[in-house]
Amino acid sequence: MGRDRLDRRQPPGRAVTGRAGAPLIGFVTDRKVSSSGAWQRILTDGIPHSYPRAVELAGGAPLLFPALETHLADPGRLLDRIDGLLLPGGRDLDAALYGQEAHVENDPPLRVRDELEIALAREAIRRGIPVLGICRGLQVLNVALGGSLVQHLGDTTDPVPHRDLVGTFTAHPVEIRNGTRLRRIIGSPRIEIASHHHQSVGVLGAGLVATAFAPDGVIEAAETDDGSFVVGVQWHPEERLDPESLRLLRALVDAARPTVA
């Protein structure tokens, strides 16, 4: 896809809501090898419990979609079932999908998940369905809109660590631009975040504007400039589940409340 803006036409209706009228928030799951009871070393689909837990605490109802080849033929069928889309964190995107060379530090990709989330992000934006990207999710948004990624921050001389050790979260501050949706949601120009990424947004995709920065200048958040709810952050608000961190999840749930039953 080029860098032209997407044709954002609102569909005639929205999804049916979930538990007690709570907006349904969709996720695409990841795949891994695991064991459970009689099943030893089998493929399973899932995401960290912190994501659906955070959505529940924010007033939404989580709905998980496995990354299946069959979904790629018509990703809009999944969007018909939800009110909002959350793009969670996880492994690195396949660099070949956006025309860059993979770095030696990149994770082994799950191409079906990558392609499905990119397709869902594009179609959700076109339909006007609220989208929140978290960590990898911001990178999915950026690639879906024609942007690029910095493959490995460790190749630069950044004074701020964004990932000290694999499997641990790093705390550092970010500055949030005034006049942005993110600033209104967070309610503060500066917050301490839970960071865990070795890649970052490079060239911004069409229609995205940077809204938050780390002290070293790395883009830590972006959103669309047309007033729609399309927000991505490079940090992990779902890890802390405190009132400040949950503001982003609550904003997604509030934006996802359907206008028709």
Side-chain angles (χ1 to χ4, degrees), residues 195-212:
S195 175
H196 187 273
H197 62 99
H198 78 106
Q199 295 185 321
S200 69
V201 169
V203 176
L204 284 165
L208 286 175
V209 293
T211 57

Side-chain angles (χ1 to χ4, degrees), residues 72-232:
L72 291 174
D74 186 10
R77 288 172 47 196
L78 301 183
L79 294 176
D80 291 341
R81 302 177 61 189
I82 62 175
D83 305 301
L85 176 66
L86 195 152
L87 302 168
R91 68 182 81 193
D92 301 323
L93 280 168
D94 186 347
L97 290 177
Y98 51 94
Q100 291 184 240
E101 291 291 327
H103 191 279
V104 66
E105 292 288 335
N106 285 17
D107 302 321
L110 179 58
R111 193 178 182 94
V112 176
R113 179 189 175 186
D114 295 345
E115 291 181 354
L116 182 58
E117 285 190 315
I118 289 171
L120 287 172
R122 288 173 177 165
E123 180 64 10
I125 293 170
R126 189 189 73 81
R127 293 188 184 195
I129 295 174
V131 181
L132 174 63
I134 292 177
C135 196
R136 163 196 159 97
L138 169 58
Q139 296 167 11
V140 170
L141 273 177
N142 197 52
V143 168
L145 293 172
S148 66
L149 301 182
V150 175
Q151 286 299 299
H152 185 57
L153 291 171
D155 290 340
T156 67
T157 55
D158 298 323
V160 175
H162 298 274
R163 183 183 73 179
D164 284 329
L165 296 171
V166 174
T168 65
F169 290 93
T170 301
H172 68 74
V174 296
E175 298 284 343
I176 302 174
R177 285 178 51 197
N178 196 24
T180 61
R181 180 186 291 273
L182 181 64
R183 175 69 171 80
R184 295 193 297 272
I185 292 170
I186 300 298
S188 173
R190 180 183 172 93
I191 60 169
E192 195 84 5
I193 56 100
S195 175
H196 187 273
H197 62 99
H198 78 106
Q199 295 185 321
S200 69
V201 169
V203 176
L204 284 165
L208 286 175
V209 293
T211 57
F213 300 87
D216 57 5
V218 168
I219 295 173
E220 289 284 345
E223 63 189 50
T224 49
D225 60 2
D226 62 358
S228 58
F229 193 102
V230 180
V231 177

Side-chain angles (χ1 to χ4, degrees), residues 15-75:
V16 177
T17 53
R19 170 188 48 77
L24 283 168
I25 307 299
F27 309 74
V28 175
T29 60
D30 202 8
R31 190 166 298 149
K32 66 176 183 178
V33 176
S34 62
S35 300
S36 177
W39 294 278
Q40 299 298 309
R41 296 192 59 77
I42 58 169
L43 284 176
T44 59
D45 290 280
I47 59 172
H49 181 66
S50 53
Y51 287 101
R53 176 64 174 154
V55 166
E56 283 277 342
L57 289 174
L63 183 62
L64 275 59
F65 300 125
L68 299 176
E69 292 272 3
T70 51
H71 288 152
L72 291 174
D74 186 10

